[in-house]
Amino acid sequence: ASPMLPIGQVAKTTGVKIPTIRFYEQEGLLAAPARTEGGRRLYSDADVRRLAFIRHARALGFELDDVRSLLDLTDEPDRPCVEADLIARTHLATVDERIVQLTALKTELTRIVRSCAGGKAAQCRVIEALAGHEHCAHDHPEPRRPRARKSKVRAKPKARRT
């Protein structure tokens, strides 16, 4: 059997930060690890592989619920992969839609930047364009609002630098 790894080593190995590893445990994506007598978390090779899977899926933009569904499929290898295919196709459609939105946004921002004459802020076309949508030449998507998290876990506010 391979040695169990402490959370710091798992974080280095997978590139997933320690608070994120704990969050994935709280969300049920990663099983609660074994503990030392002193209460330190210890992870198996299987835990490290699962965490690497989660990290890669998140890097590809999959939402936590999709990652959870994909992990459920990996836990039952005899299930048909049609579910994984559907999750990936749905995510691809979302990415395609976002590309269209970002392309429109790029077009509008390019127009705004090119209209800058380099004068004073009072005559700044960038500020004027940002003041209201009526100054935009094209329609562009409303900003995406962060999706509400189902979990009641709250991230600690970052300390303000003074």
Side-chain angles (χ1 to χ4, degrees):
S2 56
M4 301 290 279
L5 300 173
I7 196 167
Q9 184 62 45
V10 171
K12 283 181 188 171
T13 301
T14 61
V16 178
K17 294 180 179 174
I18 291 172
T20 306
I21 295 171
R22 291 185 187 128
F23 172 73
Y24 291 155
E25 287 171 26
Q26 291 171 338
E27 289 294 311
L29 298 175
L30 193 61
R35 300 260 184 170
T36 65
E37 285 183 24
R40 292 183 61 205
R41 292 169 162 87
L42 292 175
Y43 296 87
S44 68
D45 284 343
D47 293 327
V48 172
R49 284 191 304 273
R50 188 173 183 95
L51 201 49
F53 179 97
I54 295 167
R55 181 176 187 264
H56 192 208
R58 294 292 287 154
L60 289 171
F62 285 96
E63 298 289 336
L64 282 182
D65 286 341
D66 289 339
V67 174
R68 186 175 285 108
S69 297
L70 292 166
L71 285 168
D72 288 347
L73 287 166
T74 65
D75 292 339
E76 298 178 45
D78 291 333
R79 280 174 56 189
C81 75
V82 67
E83 292 173 60
D85 184 63
L86 180 59
I87 290 168
R89 286 177 187 276
T90 301
H91 183 55
L92 178 59
T94 301
V95 169
D96 283 339
E97 179 183 318
R98 188 71 181 130
I99 288 171
V100 168
Q101 292 173 344
L102 287 171
T103 301
L105 186 60
K106 179 182 178 186
T107 300
E108 189 59 33
L109 286 171
T110 301
R111 186 194 66 77
I112 290 170
V113 168
R114 285 186 180 150
S115 70
C116 182
K120 298 199 182 310
Q123 294 86 35
C124 181
R125 297 287 180 228
V126 173
I127 292 175
E128 180 183 300
L130 294 175
H133 186 65
E134 67 275 4
H135 300 290
C136 293
H138 308 335
D139 196 26
H140 53 84
E142 287 295 315
R144 289 180 63 186
R145 293 199 171 104
R147 290 175 52 179
R149 292 189 1 201
K150 292 179 182 179
S151 170
K152 292 186 177 160
V153 177
R154 300 266 183 229
K156 292 180 184 174
K158 291 186 178 180
R160 298 181 86 189
R161 292 185 181 166
T162 54

